[in-house]
Amino acid sequence: MSDLEKLQPSTNTNSLNRLEIEIAGIKFQNPVLTASGTFGYGLDFADLIDLNRLGGFCSKGLSPKPMKGNPPPRIVETHGGMLNAIGLQNIGAKAFVTDTLPQLKKYNTKVIANVFGYSLEEYIEAIEILNDGDGISAYELNISCPNVKQGGIVIGNSPDAAAEVTTAVKQVAKRPVIVKLSPNVTSIKELALAVEGAGADALSLINTLVGMSIDVYSRRPRIANVTGGLSGPAVKPVAVRMVYEVAQVVKIPIIGIGGIANWMDAVEFFIAGACAIQIGTANYYDPCVSIKIIDGLLSYCESQKLSHISEIFNSLKK
Ligand SMILES: Cc1cc2nc3c(=O)[nH]c(=O)nc-3n(C[C@H](O)[C@H](O)[C@H](O)COP(=O)(O)O)c2cc1C
């Protein structure tokens, strides 16, 4: 029997509070969230899983105006992962506020609005629209987009630019701000410290790694955009390392993301220093994965005699 099979979901409802956590003043019923871009706007999954059981979910990245995204092909499978270049297609912040949020009201799960812009002004514009939205618990800033105002430098690569966006957003945001870090940097610690210094309430990491895949017969890139973002189990060791490095230097909470496909993956991130996790690519091949992970974590707490999951946060033994 594998380690995964050994655990059975807990039937003891009192044990559920073993998973309750608080990040930036927001109470989550458990630390299992779904990652931006892999869970639509939540409603798409309502017929597949019980949304009320999730700790929360992050919306697809929202910009002030709707965006069409890149031409296809824009997703390809790779060993242990996938490459995507969706191009930040989205319905726009206004439609999210007026059409989506009212429909989400009946679900008991936290909604985190993932936000991006191509300039500082666009980030602020999106946040100002979302500030009017009813039922958003926090914002998650995707700072991995090309910043046209800085001659093509990606904001997420520059500690100064990342801090500048964070400061500007914090000035207008009516909700806590989670800054989502890009792994495509020399030192993730520098970025983390810069946005913490700029007032970020929490961090989430990692976003996708820049990758490329080539068809050997046509000699063409397998996605139209040539390069794309690598995600899935292939990126997990990089993500765990980055969460560990960042946890050594910041005081704000860390949400771990990257290749999580089962409860043991989640536990690795907790030991490395995360206090919540997000599940991305795994949602594509198993829409129930997050629920299975919640059940797995409850059983893990029971089997390890943990009164609360936080007992393993940042607990790496060397
Ligand atoms: C198809 C796709 C679309 C994504 N769109 C976004 C997005 O709009 N905003 C964002 O911050 N991250 C986006 N991501 C990144 C994921 O939220 C996540 O950080 C990344 O995929 C790593 O986690 P995973 O390995 O569990 O997928 C996207 C990922 C995928 C696969």
Side-chain angles (χ1 to χ4, degrees):
M1 199 192 273
S2 74
D3 283 353
L4 280 176
E5 286 164 332
K6 269 185 226 160
L7 294 183
Q8 293 300 316
S10 170
T11 48
N12 178 357
T13 46
N14 289 336
S15 67
L16 288 174
N17 59 14
R18 287 175 172 175
L19 297 187
E20 277 171 7
I21 52 146
E22 193 175 313
I23 295 177
I26 313 157
K27 284 197 170 70
F28 292 88
Q29 58 188 343
N30 64 64
V32 179
L33 320 179
T34 53
S36 174
T38 65
F39 208 71
Y41 304 101
L43 297 166
D44 322 29
F45 279 73
D47 290 339
L48 300 169
I49 63 167
D50 182 2
L51 292 181
N52 300 309
R53 291 209 58 207
L54 281 183
F57 77 89
C58 299
S59 74
K60 172 71 186 154
L62 296 160
S63 47
K65 299 215 163 55
M67 280 182 58
K68 271 193 177 153
N70 290 331
R74 49 191 199 173
I75 288 190
V76 294
E77 236 179 285
T78 58
H79 280 302
M82 67 183 238
L83 280 175
N84 91 81
I86 303 295
L88 296 162
Q89 176 184 0
N90 77 97
I91 58 171
K94 202 161 268 165
F96 184 72
V97 167
T98 54
D99 305 340
T100 312
L101 284 175
Q103 297 185 66
L104 285 169
K105 249 187 177 163
K106 62 174 184 255
Y107 298 105
N108 176 33
T109 187
K110 301 290 178 202
V111 178
I112 297 175
N114 182 284
V115 178
F116 74 93
Y118 282 94
S119 65
L120 206 59
E121 292 73 21
E122 280 191 11
Y123 275 94
I124 292 168
E125 205 184 327
I127 295 285
E128 279 174 340
I129 297 169
L130 293 166
N131 273 341
D132 293 334
D134 193 11
I136 299 173
S137 291
Y139 301 124
E140 180 179 61
L141 293 194
N142 176 2
I143 56 168
S144 322
C145 324
N147 181 349
V148 285
K149 293 272 168 75
Q150 299 218 354
I153 295 173
V154 177
I155 304 169
N157 290 359
S158 151
D160 289 345
E164 197 187 341
V165 178
T166 309
T167 306
V169 165
K170 274 295 288 178
Q171 274 165 6
V172 292
K174 289 191 180 153
R175 290 158 178 134
V177 176
I178 302 163
V179 181
K180 182 165 176 179
L181 302 183
S182 162
N184 304 304
V185 294
T186 315
S187 166
I188 191 102
K189 283 192 280 190
E190 245 182 86
L191 254 299
L193 284 168
V195 298
E196 180 184 46
D201 296 289
L203 299 172
S204 56
L205 60 143
I206 59 174
N207 210 314
T208 55
L209 284 145
V210 180
M212 186 171 164
S213 176
I214 300 170
D215 181 296
V216 295
Y217 296 106
S218 67
R219 300 191 208 170
R220 290 182 191 282
R222 289 171 71 214
I223 44 178
N225 194 54
V226 183
T227 60
L230 180 67
S231 62
V235 310
K236 198 189 85 186
V238 177
V240 173
R241 184 267 293 178
M242 288 188 161
V243 165
Y244 174 69
E245 278 187 10
V246 170
Q248 305 309 301
V249 296
V250 300
K251 292 187 181 66
I252 52 179
I254 298 170
I255 303 171
I257 323 166
I260 298 172
N262 58 53
W263 66 266
M264 282 195 281
D265 293 337
V267 168
E268 266 191 71
F269 276 87
F270 293 141
I271 295 170
C275 60
I277 50 109
Q278 291 179 18
I279 299 148
T281 301
N283 288 306
Y284 285 109
Y285 57 85
D286 181 3
C288 301
V289 62
S290 36
I291 306 298
K292 290 178 189 166
I293 291 176
I294 295 164
D295 288 337
L297 290 174
L298 282 170
S299 302
Y300 176 75
C301 285
E302 246 168 48
S303 71
Q304 297 300 299
K305 309 216 175 342
L306 302 177
S307 53
H308 195 270
I309 190 73
S310 58
E311 287 166 37
I312 61 160
F313 294 171
N314 213 345
S315 65
L316 187 74
K317 294 180 184 168
K318 282 196 271 182

